[in-house]
Amino acid sequence: MSDEPREAFEQLAPQLGAAAVARLDIEATAAGVVQRLRADVRPWWRNGLIRLAAVMVVVLGAGVLVRSAVVERRPTVAVVSAPPELQNLAVSQLEEMLDSLELERPVADLVRPGLNDLTTSELEQLLATMEG
Amino acid sequence: MPEPREAAHPTDAELIARWRQGNESAAAELVRRHAPAVARFLAAQGARDDLDDLVQETFYRAFRRIATFRAAASFGTWVMAIGSNALKDWRRRMRRRHVLPLDDREVADRRNDPHDAAVARDLLGRLEQALSKLPRLQREVFLLRAQQGAAFDDIAAALDTTPGAARVHYHHAVKRLKAILE
């Protein structure tokens, strides 16, 4: 090894790979590169169609997501109109009816704190819901 | 009357501009011009049997991303940096490394002395093996400088580092090669 390794390396380094390069077919390499690049070039209308298809997929996907979100948020309790015979009952009579339903937890306990604040039609709706 | 210089021997920048306008022959000319140096650079890093394919892949990648090329680096050095990445990916795919036995290595004998040629062949083989033990950045800087004769500014621009850092990498590469070979 030389005392001046830098100079020795710099003299040798240009010879690295020289033999391998002698076997390189430069024209075939150039032709191959051009051929691959040419294969990448698509007609403008094909690019346009691909973009259009991508936009449609995005729009449809967004539509499905929005639709599923709206359906999930829709109220699951149906509002049922009360029978006509209940419409003439007083609040106290309605409370007795609620108690007579013999639920595990008295309905009056759940609703009583605010029961007096409800209107007749609201109470009728509540009853109809529990009966259903 | 002599032809204009651009038509007779266009610069790399002119060929690149033509390729950007869709001129395929400009791309082919750039390959012809730089493929030998790129091939030597890759072969020095161990590419052998796949050299043709690897050089082609390197130029294909370079032309695909030509929009990112800035003239801070020379085109050839920039392509070599791309080649190093291509070689790394290639090796990852192949899961094997092509290292020929020393007997298969050929050395250009400029001295016509069998003994000197044998010594040079041996040293060159050892140098190539030692290069494979260097960290990637040191190896690339060493080859771009010592094999390709690139300036540190050019190397720094191609490898996205500073000229000072490139000099340090080169210094460490030489020091490490010397230690390995001793």
Side-chain angles (χ1 to χ4, degrees), chain B:
Chain B
M1 185 177 171
E3 290 182 1
R5 185 188 56 77
E6 184 179 335
H9 189 75
T11 64
D12 286 354
E14 288 162 352
L15 288 172
I16 290 166
R18 287 187 207 171
W19 158 243
R20 280 176 163 168
Q21 291 167 358
N23 186 332
E24 291 178 348
S25 62
E29 178 57 26
L30 282 165
V31 175
R32 284 186 206 102
R33 193 175 284 185
H34 294 283
V38 170
R40 278 197 302 125
F41 178 70
L42 295 173
Q45 296 186 66
R48 284 289 188 277
D49 295 341
D50 302 325
L51 192 60
D52 285 76
D53 290 340
L54 197 52
V55 171
Q56 189 183 117
E57 173 69 18
T58 298
F59 279 96
Y60 172 70
R61 289 186 185 193
F63 287 121
R64 285 286 305 264
R65 66 178 73 159
I66 198 75
T68 66
F69 172 64
R70 301 286 177 266
S74 69
F75 179 74
T77 310
W78 180 71
V79 171
M80 284 177 210
I82 292 172
S84 275
N85 286 325
L87 179 60
K88 189 182 75 176
D89 295 344
W90 196 269
R91 282 183 174 150
R92 193 181 297 147
R93 277 202 301 273
M94 296 303 173
R95 300 284 181 198
R96 61 193 167 89
R97 185 168 179 188
H98 302 282
V99 177
L100 294 182
L102 293 181
D103 291 347
D104 288 348
R105 293 194 173 94
E106 299 167 32
V107 180
D109 179 16
R110 296 184 179 127
R111 289 163 291 194
N112 291 324
D113 183 320
H115 178 261
D116 286 352
V119 171
R121 185 183 302 118
D122 176 60
L123 190 54
L124 201 58
R126 288 166 58 204
L127 176 60
E128 191 172 320
Q129 286 190 332
L131 270 173
S132 69
K133 294 173 184 167
L134 292 186
R136 183 183 163 190
L137 196 53
Q138 283 183 17
R139 183 172 62 244
E140 289 175 6
V141 170
F142 176 82
L143 286 172
L144 288 173
R145 177 68 179 171
Q147 185 197 44
Q148 303 292 330
F152 283 114
D153 288 351
D154 191 17
I155 295 169
L159 299 181
D160 199 21
T161 183
T162 63
R167 283 178 197 277
V168 171
H169 285 307
Y170 185 72
H171 171 76
H172 285 308
V174 169
K175 197 174 166 184
R176 200 155 175 172
L177 285 173
K178 185 185 175 199
I180 294 168
L181 290 172
E182 281 177 348

